[in-house]
């Protein structure tokens, strides 16, 4: 575990940085997609920025005991590359997640670390339109939040929590189909760590970020992201959004790791799900896909893997 984090942002100074990135990326996605009958995929740079901001939201203010020096994956490091801190909060996410979703994430072929499961969980939650509901459940788990987060953490600030819940309702106008089965997710990348204050923001090189984005778009133009699953509809606050993935239950209040905590908050209009199946779709694992961080350490390594 890491005992201290050096050269990062002051914890309170990181909060407006995270919010600014989140608000800007979601507004950009709404402007581009709200009038279109298309899904948001991992090819979209604003979607990647949004994922990084949401990841930073969960990383911000974690106790040092939940920050590892290594992710535990098998990914090779360059000789000149400095290891990045690897926050882990998978047990916390499991406490509010449907057991079928947990099982799916823990049996992914290419995602084999707890870091990877945290990152895959976030993308799957967006795909299923459940991010706001999950966050609402987590904010009710004050004892667990105290165990994982410092008093200055974003998720322990009641006022900021209300803002996040209100803002994330804007995601109801968007339909996501983000890739969550890639081995790239097994380790954290620089952007969410820098946004959360664990790494210096100065390490984010705008030129490197742009170059990585262009290379990724060119190298993955030929990769198909079709899911092959039946369409369902998720009803959220009166809006119907087409999804290309079957959910495991009509609500999250069934068979969860802490089901007694789930039933109290999922009766709101924002968490209504219209069930159209009880199994996740069976389609092949995706060995590689976009990362949420387009300006990351290991960008060249990732690009080579994707091209292969």
């Amino acid at each position: 575990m890491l005992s201290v984090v050096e050269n990062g942002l002051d914890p309170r100074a990181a909060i407006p940085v995270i919010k600014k990135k989140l608000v800007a990326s979601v507004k950009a996605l709404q402007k581009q997609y709200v009038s279109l009958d298309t899904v948001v995929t991992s090819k979209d740079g604003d979607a990647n920025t949004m994922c990084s901001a949401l990841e930073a939201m969960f990383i911000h203010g974690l106790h040092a005991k939940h920050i590892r020096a290594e992710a535990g994956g098998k990914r090779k490091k360059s000789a000149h590359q400095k290891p990045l801190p690897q926050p882990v909060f998978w047990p916390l996410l499991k406490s509010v997640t449907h057991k079928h979703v947990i099982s799916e994430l823990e049996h992914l072929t290419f995602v084999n670390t707890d870091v990877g499961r945290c990152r895959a969980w976030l993308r799957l939650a967006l795909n299923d339109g459940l991010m706001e509901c999950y966050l609402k459940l987590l904010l009710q788990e004050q004892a667990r939040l105290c165990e994982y987060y410092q008093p200055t953490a974003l998720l322990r600030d009641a006022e900021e929590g209300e803002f996040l819940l209100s803002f994330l309702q804007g995601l109801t106008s968007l339909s996501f189909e983000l890739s969550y089965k890639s081995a790239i997710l097994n380790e954290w990348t620089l952007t969410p760590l820098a946004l959360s204050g664990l790494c210096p923001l100065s390490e984010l090189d705008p030129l490197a970020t742009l170059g990585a984005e262009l290379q990724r778009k060119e190298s993955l133009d030929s990769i198909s992201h079709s899911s092959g699953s039946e369409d369902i509809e998720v009803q959220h606050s009166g809006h119907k959004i087409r999804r290309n993935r079957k959910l495991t239950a009509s609500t999250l209040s069934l068979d969860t790791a802490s089901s007694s905590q789930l039933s109290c908050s999922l009766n709101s209009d924002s968490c209504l799900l219209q069930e159209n199946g009880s199994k996740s779709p069976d389609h092949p694992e995706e060995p590689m896909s976009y990362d949420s961080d387009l300006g990351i350490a290991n960008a060249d390594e990732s690009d080579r893997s994707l091209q292969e």
Side-chain angles (χ1 to χ4, degrees):
M1 300 292 182
L2 295 182
S3 58
V4 294
V5 179
E6 298 180 352
N7 301 322
L9 282 177
D10 175 78
R12 296 193 182 278
I15 292 178
V17 177
I18 296 172
K19 290 169 61 178
K20 181 179 179 181
K21 283 288 185 182
L22 179 61
V23 170
S25 58
V26 171
K27 286 185 176 180
L29 290 172
Q30 289 174 328
K31 183 177 180 180
Q32 182 177 355
Y33 290 95
V34 73
S35 60
L36 302 177
D37 188 23
T38 57
V39 297
V40 182
T41 71
S42 298
K43 292 183 179 181
D44 192 288
D46 290 315
N48 295 320
T49 300
M50 179 192 65
C51 286
S52 291
L54 289 172
E55 289 173 339
M57 175 184 76
F58 285 102
I59 295 171
H60 181 264
L62 275 173
H63 286 302
K65 65 181 180 180
H66 299 297
I67 302 175
R68 301 174 182 172
E70 296 288 342
K74 300 179 180 179
R75 197 171 177 180
K76 294 182 180 179
K77 302 288 190 304
S78 302
H80 65 278
Q81 184 181 330
K82 181 181 177 181
L84 295 174
Q86 300 293 319
V88 176
F89 44 91
W90 175 233
L92 175 65
L93 299 180
K94 288 172 65 175
S95 70
V96 296
T97 303
H98 192 286
K99 69 177 184 179
H100 290 90
V101 176
I102 295 173
S103 178
E104 178 184 358
L105 293 175
E106 291 186 338
H107 290 87
L108 293 177
T109 302
F110 299 99
V111 177
N112 49 30
T113 68
D114 282 346
V115 169
R117 294 178 188 105
C118 289
R119 305 185 72 197
W121 175 93
L122 185 143
R123 287 153 180 79
L124 186 56
L126 288 168
N127 289 352
D128 290 342
L130 300 177
M131 180 56 67
E132 180 196 353
C133 294
Y134 280 138
L135 181 59
K136 183 180 297 183
L137 296 173
L138 281 174
L139 293 179
Q140 294 175 354
E141 297 278 355
Q142 286 301 314
R144 290 183 182 273
L145 290 179
C146 290
E147 177 187 348
Y148 275 83
Y149 293 98
Q150 302 170 20
T152 54
L154 177 57
L155 292 182
R156 288 190 61 185
D157 188 310
E159 186 175 326
E160 296 294 354
E162 289 300 320
F163 164 80
L164 291 170
L165 287 176
S166 176
F167 183 76
L168 289 178
Q169 290 180 2
L171 296 180
T172 61
S173 61
L174 299 170
S175 182
F176 293 94
E177 194 174 298
L178 303 173
S179 178
Y180 63 94
K181 300 183 179 183
S182 169
I184 296 177
L185 299 177
N186 281 321
E187 297 183 16
W188 289 108
T189 52
L190 183 56
T191 296
L193 298 178
L195 291 176
S196 65
L198 286 185
C199 295
L201 281 173
S202 59
E203 292 187 14
L204 294 179
D205 185 349
L207 294 178
T209 300
L210 178 60
E213 179 179 356
L214 293 175
Q215 288 181 0
R216 289 177 185 277
K217 286 185 177 180
E218 291 174 358
S219 63
L220 281 105
D221 279 344
S222 60
I223 294 181
S224 172
H225 292 271
S226 60
S227 64
S229 62
E230 296 179 8
D231 289 344
I232 67 170
E233 291 179 347
V234 176
Q235 187 173 350
H236 187 111
S237 298
H239 299 283
K240 288 186 177 180
I241 309 169
R242 294 191 67 80
R243 301 285 176 192
N244 288 326
R245 185 179 184 277
K246 287 186 177 181
L247 301 182
T248 57
S250 60
T251 68
L252 290 179
S253 61
L254 301 177
D255 300 325
T256 60
S258 58
S259 59
S260 62
Q261 297 295 325
L262 292 174
S263 60
C264 62
S265 63
L266 287 178
N267 293 324
S268 63
D269 291 339
S270 63
C271 299
L272 293 177
L273 297 180
Q274 186 177 54
E275 181 178 6
N276 195 31
S278 59
K279 295 183 179 180
S280 299
D282 295 328
H283 53 81
E285 303 286 347
E286 298 178 20
M288 283 294 166
S289 68
Y290 285 92
D291 199 354
S292 67
D293 178 5
L294 294 177
I296 62 172
N298 292 328
D300 293 338
E301 176 187 346
S302 301
D303 293 333
R304 287 196 300 271
S305 300
L306 291 169
Q307 290 170 348
E308 291 173 0

